[in-house]
Amino acid sequence: MEVLEFIAFFAGVIYLIGIGKSKRWGWWFGAINASIYVYASIMVGLYVQSILQVLYVFLACLGYWNWGREEGKEVKQIPVRTHLIGVSISVLTAAILAWAMSYFTAQQLAVEDAFISVFAVFATYLTITHVLENWYYWLGINAASIYLFGMQGLYVTASLFLVNFLMSVWGLYAWKKQRNV
């Protein structure tokens, strides 16, 4: 498992470098990273994470496609109202998912996994659509993921999320610079 974690780690770092620089090729490394984590998440009983990783493979393809379109290339910002709607839907969805996983499965850390997973989908959508504020969500998601994967003994993966956290700070700065904010 550790060798796969290291491969996923480096693919994840390359993904973030590409995304931070608004490079379309970064999405392919995101797909490689997610493909490896489908297996790793199942092996440690993080079933929602495994579903999330399958979704990430699909979203990486969607991101690659969208960033190839002219209107997908510009960094933009969205109104606070849109964020409030997205957060509200994410909280409700995560609560339902956490309850279902706790009740129907042997899911480990169901609440944490559900909230991280649902908010990660929301943040990925914002990334795909080149919304600047995606990086703020990723800061929180990456911090929570350090705890989640550390508790499951996936220390290389927890380290990746520490790097992801730091890369999110850089990505936010880089996108603000592109946006001239």
Side-chain angles (χ1 to χ4, degrees):
M1 179 79 79
E2 219 172 90
V3 171
L4 284 177
E5 275 189 279
F6 278 110
I7 294 168
F9 179 96
F10 289 112
V13 170
I14 295 168
Y15 159 75
L16 284 173
I17 290 169
I19 298 306
K21 291 183 173 190
S22 292
K23 300 295 183 185
R24 189 175 181 210
W25 54 258
W27 289 106
W28 290 117
F29 286 93
I32 292 166
N33 172 274
S35 297
I36 293 169
Y37 278 119
V38 169
Y39 173 76
S41 296
I42 290 170
M43 292 297 101
V44 297
L46 294 173
Y47 305 121
V48 178
Q49 277 295 316
S50 65
I51 294 166
L52 174 66
Q53 298 303 324
V54 169
L55 183 58
Y56 274 160
V57 173
F58 169 75
L59 291 174
C61 295
L62 183 60
Y64 183 82
W65 172 79
N66 191 55
W67 282 25
R69 300 173 9 179
E70 195 59 40
E71 62 270 16
K73 295 178 180 178
E74 183 182 324
V75 175
K76 56 189 155 291
Q77 292 182 276
I78 57 175
V80 172
R81 180 173 185 262
T82 305
H83 286 286
L84 292 174
I85 292 168
V87 167
S88 298
I89 291 169
S90 296
V91 166
L92 179 61
T93 303
I96 293 167
L97 183 59
W99 172 82
M101 295 308 289
S102 295
Y103 190 77
F104 295 111
T105 73
Q107 167 75 35
Q108 303 293 310
L109 303 167
V111 173
E112 295 88 338
D113 194 14
F115 274 84
I116 290 168
S117 297
V118 170
F119 273 91
V121 170
F122 178 54
T124 301
Y125 168 76
L126 295 177
T127 306
I128 289 169
T129 55
H130 242 127
V131 173
L132 173 70
E133 296 89 353
N134 85 83
W135 297 107
Y136 294 111
Y137 291 99
W138 284 118
L139 288 168
I141 292 163
N142 290 326
S145 295
I146 294 166
Y147 167 78
L148 179 70
F149 286 100
M151 291 299 294
Q152 294 306 108
L154 294 173
Y155 301 115
V156 173
T157 301
S159 299
L160 171 63
F161 282 102
L162 175 59
V163 171
N164 287 356
F165 181 87
L166 298 173
M167 296 288 292
S168 294
V169 172
W170 170 76
L172 177 61
Y173 171 77
W175 280 29
K176 278 185 171 187
K177 193 173 173 183
Q178 286 177 32
R179 176 86 176 143
N180 294 321
V181 175

